[in-house]
Amino acid sequence: MKLDLAIRNGTIITAAGRFKADVGIRDGRIVMLAEELSADDEIDAAGHLVMPGGIEAHCHIAQESATGLMTADDYRSGSISAAFGGNSSFIPFAAQHRHMSIAETLDLYHERGRASVLDYSFHLIVTNPDEQAVNHDLPEAFRQGITSLKVFMTYERMMITDSTFLDVLALAKAAGGLTMVHAENNAMIDWMSRKLVQSGHTAPRYHAISHPAVAEVEAINRAISLSKLVDAPLMIVHVSTREGAELVARAQAEGARVFAETCPQYLFLTRDDLNRPGLEGAKFMCSPPPRDQETQEILWRHLALGTFTVFSSDHAPYRYDDSGKLSNGPDATFKQIANGMPGLATRLPLLFSGVAAGRLTLEQFVALSSTNAARVFGMYPRKGEIAVGTDADIAIWDPHETREVRLADQHDGMDYTPYEGMRLTGWPVTVLSRGERIVEGGRCMAEEGRGRFVKRGPSDYFGRPGFTVPEMDPARNFGVEIGR
Ligand code: DUC
Ligand code: ZN
Ligand code: ZN
């Protein structure tokens, strides 16, 4: 068979194992895995690792915050930055604000997504799950291949009640999808914040204090309990605490379809990073906030144990200027400063440092960076796998290259990186999307708009049987529709 491209002499790593083979690509897909392939166009991957391109499953691109601040990245710059970071596709959020219908929200983000160089989908943030949404708009979104939703348990302008959370969980379950949740107790944060601000504690470092670990732990416990009641799958995003991870692990051991994500900021930063002069600490403000070194160690362990299904950047880019962090001026309190930090390009090199340090195997790296996201978000095996028939979405890594993270090397719209100066070993050298080189030799070769919307299917729940609450037996009572 005539090939368009052959990747020669590399070591292929998948979530299931590793082997030496060449990769034959034709019409954007992998068509052969064999020894000694040849093509007119070849990439020599000797000494390099050939892995599924990363799938960034949590990032905020061309998204207005609840207070109207626009992120510093649109789909062009965001996707290019992600490509430099070893990603071949990404799933940003399409965020409903309360004055918008779901249909309007999706139209808006489909328009924004057109600029992407990566293949993309959206998780739909739902802030107003009224009758029209639950009975019509959300089922329609699932039909269009948007099979994951996100809800908030905090932020007055975004949060939903526990009761509507149950509606969303049951609905997503019936459609074979997945509900994601930002789990923090709103009242605890609000109460802490008021006390701090009233007593003049307004600097960025008080942001971390106003989001205590217990606020996350309480909300994770509640979210898991709600998902158990209706036996519905749940993904807890950006878990930052030891007890939070332990609640997830326990629910998984019970068979519940509970999944979780953690992010680089919880492994590489601590609350001390917020403690800088003036408003400088705002660069490290995100919710939930970074914790401490002991927690970092425990979260690394839960990554290796499989408690976390995905490792995402939570790229939420607000510049350190008046378009972002400083939009409320130099005297802003921590409550008036946008939450979030960049990380599209650094997520995978940071995670790879865990391989170099012996914390993770290469196979775990692939699972956490790509394959698991493809599975749980309904894109597998087309994405996230190296096998005959899959999209040729491939990242070729040099596991020995050591580089320092520097703002000057970033391609996003930001004016800082929280990881400035970190020396990391292991970097992507060539990234392919559907067989096309999108990054090579430090250059982006992709044309704006080449990315395609990926129509996703049902989630793969990793064989978890679910968790049935006896009182909620749908055969005997008025239960929410919970077909398996
Ligand atoms: N939650 C996120 O998922 N990202 C940024 C800020 C937030 O609260
Ligand atoms: Zn969140
Ligand atoms: Zn986020």
Side-chain angles (χ1 to χ4, degrees), residues 85-128:
N87 296 286
S88 296
S89 46
F90 68 166
I91 316 177
F93 291 93
Q96 182 195 32
H97 294 293
R98 286 200 182 127
H99 60 277
M100 297 162 75
S101 71
I102 303 265
E104 257 176 277
T105 306
L106 288 176
D107 284 350
L108 180 65
Y109 281 87
H110 276 300
E111 191 53 40
R112 291 175 176 177
R114 281 173 196 278
S116 182
V117 308
L118 296 184
D119 289 355
Y120 60 96
S121 178
F122 311 111
H123 307 293
L124 181 57
I125 290 178
V126 182
T127 54
N128 187 16

Side-chain angles (χ1 to χ4, degrees), residues 58 60 93 150-152 154-155 181-184 237-238 287-288 314:
H58 184 155
H60 302 269
F93 291 93
K150 182 182 178 191
V151 297
F152 287 83
T154 184
Y155 299 131
V181 64
H182 179 129
E184 287 188 286
V237 298
H238 47 51
S287 293
D314 196 0

Side-chain angles (χ1 to χ4, degrees), residues 320-341:
Y320 190 65
D321 64 20
D322 60 14
S323 73
K325 298 280 184 186
L326 306 182
S327 63
N328 283 314
D331 300 321
T333 71
F334 67 87
K335 288 305 276 181
Q336 299 169 309
I337 297 175
N339 274 231
M341 60 177 76

